[in-house]
């Protein structure tokens, strides 16, 4: 039996839960937007929880951050300007800035407290925050994209919380239309798209909304993520222009270190499960 020494996230509707054994509760606060908690765990290092949902652990965040960044950046022909909507723990920003061709990376998180806590409890994720190409803004990403000039960005990475609360509008057709307008002609959005096992309906709705907004070339990729519901997560790329694979040679010769991502992992992540193909074809 689990006792009070365990943090547990119950997944509504999936009749399942995920638990981590806790050494100490390091912090808790209600920010202007959400309830933030930091735990020290026995096996996963530090853990950030937002509104009861696991966000980032020291031990396994590289799966998510590397897949959400490098998969998209090696799909785009020549990404120079990248926005990260959400992403307040700064792990995605760190990965994006590993690409020498990136000239500007703007992270737009609604909640400055997430970043301030990440600086204390996940300093390794924040090690590129002072890169001259990085720009950290603390405003609503929905408004940021709505107010953007046409052709002002090459890749928009939506590294958000689940589609409830402040992130709900980040999964809407209106938001994707604003992304379409802000993107350059080869531009693309990549968004965390939850679990195919638990959130198939949401994935279908999200892909429809992207297509309806003109981001009609879609590619969902899959990766393990132990601390998220079902342990199996996904990202979806939605592009203005046709997608012709990815820059395999550049990926194979990437000039930086990663823990998970490489050219073979990229290829493997694009394999589409049979049940997913059938559901999305409907
Ligand atoms: N990797 C995580 C996941 O998939 O569960 C996401 C981590 S990141 C910490 C999520 C961030 O999205 C949070 O810091 C939250 O403040 C931010 N966020 C939620 N809604 C937002 C919005 N409308 N605009 C900008 N940031 C938003």
């Amino acid at each position: 039996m689990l006792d009070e020494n365990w943090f547990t996230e119950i997944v509504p509707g999936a009749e399942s839960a995920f638990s981590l054994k806790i050494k100490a509760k390091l912090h808790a606060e209600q920010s202007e937007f959400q309830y933030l908690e930091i735990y020290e765990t026995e096996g996963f290092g530090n853990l950030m929880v937002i509104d009861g949902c696991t966000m980032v652990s020291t031990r396994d965040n590289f799966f998510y951050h590397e897949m959400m960044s490098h998969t998209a950046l090696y799909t785009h022909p020549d990404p120079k300007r990248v926005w990260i909507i959400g992403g307040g723990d700064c792990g995605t920003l760190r990965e994006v800035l590993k690409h020498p061709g990136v000239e500007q990376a703007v992270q737009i998180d609604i909640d400055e407290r997430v970043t301030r806590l990440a600086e204390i409890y996940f300093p390794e994720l924040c090690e590129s925050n002072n890169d001259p190409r990085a720009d950290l803004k603390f405003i609503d990403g929905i408004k940021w994209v709505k107010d953007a000039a046409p052709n002002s960005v090459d890749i928009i990475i939506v590294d958000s919380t689940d589609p409830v609360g402040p992130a709900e509008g980040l999964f809407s057709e209106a938001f994707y239309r604003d992304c379409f307008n802000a993107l350059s002609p080869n531009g693309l959005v990549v968004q965390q798209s939850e679990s195919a096992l638990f959130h198939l309906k949401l994935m279908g709705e999200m892909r429809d909304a992207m297509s309806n907004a003109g981001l009609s070339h879609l590619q969902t990729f899959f990766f393990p993520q132990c601390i998220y519901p079902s342990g199996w997560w996904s990202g979806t790329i939605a592009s203005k222009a046709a997608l012709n694979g990815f820059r395999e040679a550049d990926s194979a010769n990437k000039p930086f270190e990663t823990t998970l991502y490489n050219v073979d992992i990229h290829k493997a992540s694009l394999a589409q499960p049979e049940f997913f193909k059938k559901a999305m074809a409907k």
Side-chain angles (χ1 to χ4, degrees):
M1 282 295 284
L2 302 182
D3 55 26
E4 70 283 358
N5 295 319
W6 292 77
F7 167 81
T8 295
E9 177 181 347
I10 294 172
V11 188
E15 308 311 321
S16 75
F18 176 75
S19 297
L20 285 174
K21 193 165 188 192
I22 298 304
K23 262 193 203 162
K25 187 167 194 167
L26 301 176
H27 186 85
E29 71 176 76
Q30 176 66 49
S31 76
E32 194 186 337
F33 303 99
Q34 46 212 352
Y35 189 63
L36 310 173
E37 294 165 274
I38 308 282
Y39 295 92
E40 182 184 2
T41 72
E42 292 282 353
F44 276 69
N46 287 347
L47 171 71
M48 180 185 283
V49 176
I50 299 185
D51 286 339
C53 298
T54 55
M55 288 290 129
V56 178
S57 85
T58 309
R59 183 171 180 187
D60 81 339
N61 76 78
F62 62 89
F63 285 91
Y64 179 92
H65 289 139
E66 293 186 9
M67 292 306 289
M68 287 298 292
S69 51
H70 306 310
T71 311
L73 269 81
Y74 281 123
T75 297
H76 189 282
D78 185 21
K80 290 185 164 42
R81 300 164 299 173
V82 179
W83 295 347
I84 299 155
I85 307 294
D89 55 67
C90 304
T92 299
L93 178 68
R94 181 185 70 169
E95 295 305 314
V96 166
L97 288 168
K98 287 180 178 175
H99 290 252
V102 168
E103 293 170 358
Q104 184 203 41
V106 188
Q107 177 184 287
I108 306 107
D109 197 294
I110 200 168
D111 194 344
E112 182 169 358
R113 290 299 303 150
V114 174
T115 299
R116 298 299 161 232
L117 292 176
E119 286 166 349
I120 299 168
Y121 297 107
F122 299 90
E124 69 285 7
L125 300 184
C126 298
E127 66 190 18
S128 299
N129 289 6
N130 293 324
D131 186 300
R133 299 169 295 160
D135 184 2
L136 274 65
K137 302 204 178 297
F138 300 106
I139 53 166
D140 188 344
I142 298 169
K143 182 168 164 31
W144 170 265
V145 176
K146 196 178 184 55
D147 293 346
N151 194 7
S152 43
V153 63
D154 301 316
I155 296 187
I156 301 175
I157 301 177
V158 188
D159 178 359
S160 74
T161 39
D162 298 335
V164 282
E168 196 176 347
L170 294 172
F171 291 74
S172 72
E173 189 175 318
F175 172 70
Y176 300 132
R177 280 191 198 288
D178 292 336
C179 290
F180 182 95
N181 291 332
L183 284 165
S184 50
N186 284 323
L188 60 86
V189 171
V190 60
Q191 180 156 15
Q192 71 92 357
S193 48
E194 313 272 310
S195 163
L197 191 63
F198 286 176
H199 311 115
L200 201 54
K201 184 167 170 284
L202 172 89
M203 291 176 85
E205 289 165 359
M206 192 179 150
R207 289 168 59 104
D208 285 348
M210 288 167 153
S211 278
N212 293 342
L215 298 165
S216 48
H217 305 278
L218 301 174
Q219 193 162 71
T220 293
F221 53 93
F222 301 89
F223 53 96
Q225 190 65 57
C226 178
I227 69 164
Y228 290 171
S230 84
W232 184 48
W233 217 243
S234 70
T236 294
I237 291 173
S239 171
K240 273 186 165 183
L243 291 164
N244 298 311
F246 66 105
R247 289 184 289 123
E248 266 191 65
D250 291 343
S251 167
N253 294 303
K254 63 183 171 56
F256 50 81
E257 292 285 316
T258 47
T259 307
L260 174 79
Y261 179 88
N262 60 33
V263 67
D264 294 327
I265 291 284
H266 191 145
K267 275 189 218 163
S269 76
L270 298 176
Q272 307 288 291
E274 208 55 23
F275 76 91
F276 180 78
K277 280 201 275 189
K278 278 188 194 141
M280 295 306 126
K282 277 187 193 150

